[in-house]
Amino acid sequence: MTDGARVHTVLDTGAGRDGLVRRLVEVPAGSRFEGAAGPGGELWFVIAGAGRLSPGPAGQARQVRRDTGLWLPPGAGYRVSADGPDPLRLDSVSLPAGDRKSTRLNSSHIT
């Protein structure tokens, strides 16, 4: 449920499969945005505004504000609401599912 929130996809590397998806989310003051984290979890960064993040329908709400970073585990439900007088703006990155082992890059992979 978006309840007035605007979601703009900035990057989607999936091309028909699981991939990295970056979105900018704006939740108007007094509104909320609900959903579930992607298959590999999500990283969020609060760009502007203030509000609350509740994990799942009955989770304990956590205050969020500008310059707050958040990790949402894979598939975790959430509800975020904008409590201040201004919209709550988030930068959200949904990670692909899969192996979390680190990958080494050699200089031939860097341009």
Side-chain angles (χ1 to χ4, degrees), residues 66-81:
R66 183 176 177 217
D67 296 334
T68 300
L70 305 162
W71 163 250
L72 299 173
Y78 61 81
R79 178 185 317 135
V80 62
S81 58

Side-chain angles (χ1 to χ4, degrees), residues 27-101:
V27 184
S31 296
R32 67 179 183 216
F33 177 68
E34 296 180 19
E42 293 187 11
L43 297 171
W44 286 9
F45 186 75
V46 180
I47 299 168
R52 289 175 289 133
L53 171 72
S54 301
Q60 181 68 26
R62 174 182 175 195
Q63 295 292 321
V64 295
R65 59 180 168 73
R66 183 176 177 217
D67 296 334
T68 300
L70 305 162
W71 163 250
L72 299 173
Y78 61 81
R79 178 185 317 135
V80 62
S81 58
D83 294 341
D86 299 316
L88 179 61
R89 296 182 58 221
L90 307 162
D91 189 343
S92 165
V93 178
S94 179
L95 304 173
D99 189 2
R100 294 287 172 241
K101 293 179 182 174

